[in-house]
């Protein structure tokens, strides 16, 4: 089957109207960049999902990170996309401008060297992310434990994607099929979605990030729905295995335990957070209970965007008072938030 | 945030590899994978999260061929329905 044949087949789509959710922000960006939406028939709609960890991190977490950054004997590190997200008042960028110690690094593992080199400071990584990134924080903590480093900590806002997908399926919003997040799947495996696929009778497709991969997945999902199939199809077999990355999963299980956690704009989801186990509690910078969010602009519709109920352009604030330079809601802040991406590419 | 980039392992020392990303050489942790020199790995935040297997990547083509076969009866049924209407 060639890409042209798939496009021809989709162009003549006579099946039911479909809403397919692309869960991952990186997929959303790839879809926008490639102009893929314009190639799809009117009956097939792509909906952006909750797959941006920065967007769903509560304000209370950012507040805590800002507070740590302002302590004179602390050094706070984060990935670049966390720096601009505002807490109740301030972002980490603001904290830096106010004299706080905030540094952007390429890898959390860099902190092992920093902690050894500057023992007079406590070095904290703002550990935000999904299953893709969580094992790397696990490795950091495990190595710090083995080295007996007393001055390395992580502030966790780690979330697992399956409880959010279950919420979307439970909320009765009509999502017919899911384009599963590719790199989360590299860790949890394509089998991770089997239970949801069976219980809610929805097909899942695991795909890479090239436009061809995404197109194949959409085509496969469309036919799966039409034929009443609700299995998990792995179209990324060079990277994703059915059982996932067993080393990474064992490490996650060793270092973290799951618990209830808050998603900005959604609320608390049971079992959706990863927290350090008791054995590693000394490496926790105070990650529990960081659930609170200030009331958003009442017109902000980030919750509906995250849950796939509306496209970003349906929000009255989108592109008017809410822009990447002056974001009203979390989906506009991050480079991988649905609103931020749509704004960058000016929608459909 | 979950962006990951493929690169090729040039050199390994302990559990750290030197990985080539189209000419850029970067140190990458191999703590989450079993990989050898010459392997392609998918790297996220300074860490290889999976080894990319060429033969498995080729499976995609086999999979698509399989899907095409699975769809053949559906197409025939559609063509049949159209012919009758």
């Amino acid at each position: 089957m060639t890409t042209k044949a798939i496009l021809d087949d989709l162009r003549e789509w006579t099946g039911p109207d479909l809403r397919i959710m692309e869960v991952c922000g990186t997929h959303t960006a790839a879809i926008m960049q490639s102009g893929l939406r314009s190639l799809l028939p009117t009956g097939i709609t792509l909906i952006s999902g909750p797959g941006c960890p920065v967007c769903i991190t509560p304000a209370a977490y950012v507040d805590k990170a800002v507070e740590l950054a302002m302590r004179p004997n602390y050094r706070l590190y984060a990935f670049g996309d966390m720096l601009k997200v505002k807490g109740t008042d301030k972002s980490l960028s603001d904290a830096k401008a106010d004299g706080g110690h905030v540094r952007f690094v390429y890898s959390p593992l860099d902190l092992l060297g920093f902690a050894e080199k500057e023992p007079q400071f406590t070095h904290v990584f703002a550990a935000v992310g999904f299953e893709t990134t969580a094992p790397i924080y696990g490795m950091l903590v495990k190595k710090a434990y083995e080295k007996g480093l007393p001055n390395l900590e992580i502030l966790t806002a780690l979330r697992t994607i399956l409880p959010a997908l279950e919420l979307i399926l439970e909320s009765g919003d009509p999502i017919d099929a899911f384009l599963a997040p590719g790199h989360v799947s590299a860790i949890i495996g394509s089998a991770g979605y089997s239970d949801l696929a069976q219980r809610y009778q929805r097909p899942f497709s695991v795909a890479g990030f090239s436009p061809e991969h995404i197109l194949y997945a959409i085509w496969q999902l469309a036919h799966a729905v039409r034929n009443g199939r609700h299995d998990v199809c792995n179209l990324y077999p060079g990277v994703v295995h059915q059982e996932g990355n067993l080393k990474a999963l064992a490490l996650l299980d060793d270092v973290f335990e799951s618990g209830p956690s808050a998603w900005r704009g959604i609320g608390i989801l049971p079992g959706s957070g990863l927290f350090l186990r008791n054995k590693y509690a000394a490496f926790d910078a105070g990650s529990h209970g960081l659930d609170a969010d200030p009331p958003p602009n009442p017109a902000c519709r980030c919750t509906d965007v995250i849950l796939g109920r509306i496209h970003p352009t349906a929000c009255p604030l989108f592109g008017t008072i809410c822009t990447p330079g002056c974001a009203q809601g979390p989906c506009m802040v991050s480079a991988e938030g649905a609103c931020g991406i749509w704004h960058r590419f000016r929608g459909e | 945030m979950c962006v990951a980039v493929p690169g090729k392992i040039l050199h390994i020392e302990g559990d750290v590899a030197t990985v080539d990303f189209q000419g850029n050489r970067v140190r990458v942790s191999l703590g989450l994978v079993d990989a050898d020199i010459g392997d392609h790995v998918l790297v996220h935040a300074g860490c290889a999260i999976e080894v990319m297997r060429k033969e498995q990547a080729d499976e995609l083509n086999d999979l698509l061929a399989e899907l095409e076969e699975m769809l053949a009866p559906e197409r025939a049924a559609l063509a049949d329905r159209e012919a009758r209407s």
Side-chain angles (χ1 to χ4, degrees), chain A residues 248-296:
Chain A
L249 289 173
L251 183 67
L252 281 181
D253 188 50
D254 175 33
V255 178
F256 299 106
E257 59 190 0
S258 58
S261 69
W263 294 55
R264 198 171 200 165
I266 297 178
I268 291 183
L269 295 183
S272 69
L274 293 175
F275 298 92
L276 286 171
R277 288 190 185 275
N278 267 342
K279 179 181 173 187
Y280 301 104
F283 299 93
D284 187 1
S287 311
H288 286 271
L290 302 176
D291 299 333
D293 267 318

Side-chain angles (χ1 to χ4, degrees), chain A residues 1 9 53 79 106-109 128 132-133 135-136 139 143 183 213 216 219-220 223 226-227 229 234-235 237-239 241 245 247 251 336, chain B residues 1-4 15 26 29 31-34 42 44-47 49-53 56-57 59-60 63-64 67-68 70-71 74-75 78:
Chain A
M1 201 80 181
D9 186 70
F79 288 128
Y106 158 68
S107 172
L109 300 172
V128 170
T132 320
T133 324
I136 302 171
M139 198 192 298
K143 281 186 187 269
H183 294 146
H213 266 192
Y216 288 161
W219 170 77
Q220 183 271 328
H223 283 282
R226 178 147 79 184
N227 295 331
R229 291 200 329 266
N234 181 7
L235 294 175
V239 168
H241 308 297
N245 180 331
K247 256 188 167 176
L251 183 67
E336 296 213 335
Chain B
M1 176 123 191
C2 294
V3 174
D15 67 351
V26 177
S29 164
L32 298 178
V33 294
D34 293 311
L42 191 64
H44 170 64
C47 198
I49 58 166
E50 197 50 276
V51 181
M52 304 177 75
R53 304 283 181 205
Q56 282 160 338
E59 276 174 28
L60 183 60
L63 251 167
L64 287 166
L67 286 170
E68 192 176 11
M70 277 168 69
L71 292 179
E74 183 193 341
R75 287 232 185 76
L78 269 180

Side-chain angles (χ1 to χ4, degrees), chain A:
Chain A
M1 201 80 181
T2 63
T3 303
K4 187 184 174 302
I6 285 176
L7 274 174
D8 288 345
D9 186 70
L10 280 175
R11 226 170 263 137
E12 290 161 21
W13 178 250
T14 52
D17 280 357
L18 290 181
R19 284 161 55 90
I20 298 176
M21 175 173 279
E22 90 272 2
V23 175
C24 168
T26 313
H27 271 143
T28 305
I31 288 164
M32 283 303 196
Q33 236 155 5
S34 61
L36 218 150
R37 271 194 175 78
S38 64
L39 299 175
L40 297 179
T42 49
I44 299 181
T45 309
L46 293 179
I47 308 286
S48 302
C52 164
V54 175
C55 303
I56 51 92
T57 298
Y61 175 89
V62 179
D63 293 345
K64 177 75 185 177
V66 166
E67 187 251 307
L68 292 172
M70 297 309 291
R71 292 188 193 176
N73 54 336
Y74 272 64
R75 297 286 180 265
L76 194 105
Y77 305 85
F79 288 128
D81 35 1
M82 266 314 285
L83 299 181
K84 283 190 184 164
V85 190
K86 273 206 187 304
T88 309
D89 287 320
K90 287 182 178 174
S91 65
L92 286 171
S93 284
D94 297 333
K96 192 172 181 177
D98 291 349
H101 299 280
V102 181
R103 206 170 136 189
F104 151 67
V105 288
Y106 158 68
S107 172
L109 300 172
D110 293 346
L111 264 69
L112 292 165
F114 301 153
E116 282 179 325
K117 212 168 150 192
E118 297 182 315
Q120 70 275 33
F121 298 116
T122 299
H123 302 263
V124 183
F125 198 91
V128 170
F130 288 133
E131 289 96 326
T132 320
T133 324
I136 302 171
Y137 302 130
M139 198 192 298
L140 172 68
V141 168
K142 203 164 176 186
K143 281 186 187 269
Y145 177 84
E146 286 163 2
K147 284 172 180 265
L149 289 174
N151 61 329
L152 192 155
E153 295 176 0
I154 60 174
L155 185 68
T156 62
L158 297 173
R159 304 289 184 266
T160 53
I161 199 70
L162 296 178
L165 297 184
E166 178 148 19
L167 176 82
I168 288 164
L169 287 161
E170 278 292 326
S171 69
D173 293 316
I175 300 292
D176 301 293
F178 290 87
L179 179 60
H183 294 146
V184 164
S185 306
I187 304 297
I188 70 170
S190 53
Y193 309 99
S194 301
D195 175 57
L196 286 180
Q198 289 306 314
R199 276 197 289 132
Y200 293 93
Q201 310 220 326
R202 300 288 202 286
F204 282 73
S205 194
V206 178
F209 295 88
S210 72
E212 292 85 4
H213 266 192
I214 297 169
L215 189 68
Y216 288 161
I218 291 166
W219 170 77
Q220 183 271 328
L221 288 170
H223 283 282
V225 173
R226 178 147 79 184
N227 295 331
R229 291 200 329 266
H230 35 81
D231 42 10
V232 182
C233 187
N234 181 7
L235 294 175
Y236 202 17
V239 168
V240 174
H241 308 297
Q242 198 191 357
E243 71 281 6
N245 180 331
L246 296 177
K247 256 188 167 176
L249 289 173
L251 183 67
L252 281 181
D253 188 50
D254 175 33
V255 178
F256 299 106
E257 59 190 0
S258 58
S261 69
W263 294 55
R264 198 171 200 165
I266 297 178
I268 291 183
L269 295 183
S272 69
L274 293 175
F275 298 92
L276 286 171
R277 288 190 185 275
N278 267 342
K279 179 181 173 187
Y280 301 104
F283 299 93
D284 187 1
S287 311
H288 286 271
L290 302 176
D291 299 333
D293 267 318
N297 182 323
C300 171
R301 297 195 62 191
C302 274
T303 301
D304 292 326
V305 170
I306 289 169
L307 293 177
R309 291 176 184 144
I310 61 165
H311 283 316
T313 45
C315 174
L317 304 182
F318 180 86
T320 55
I321 65 163
C322 187
T323 60
C326 184
Q328 298 294 305
C331 300
M332 186 62 92
V333 177
S334 163
E336 296 213 335
C339 294
I341 295 167
W342 280 62
H343 194 268
R344 224 177 331 142
F345 293 100
R346 293 282 181 264
E348 281 172 287

Side-chain angles (χ1 to χ4, degrees), chain B residues 16-48:
Chain B
V16 176
T18 305
V19 175
D20 176 79
F21 298 98
Q22 297 181 327
N24 289 323
R25 292 177 180 193
V26 177
R27 281 163 62 82
V28 166
S29 164
L30 295 182
L32 298 178
V33 294
D34 293 311
D36 291 318
I37 292 169
D39 280 348
H40 286 83
V41 283
L42 191 64
V43 178
H44 170 64
C47 198

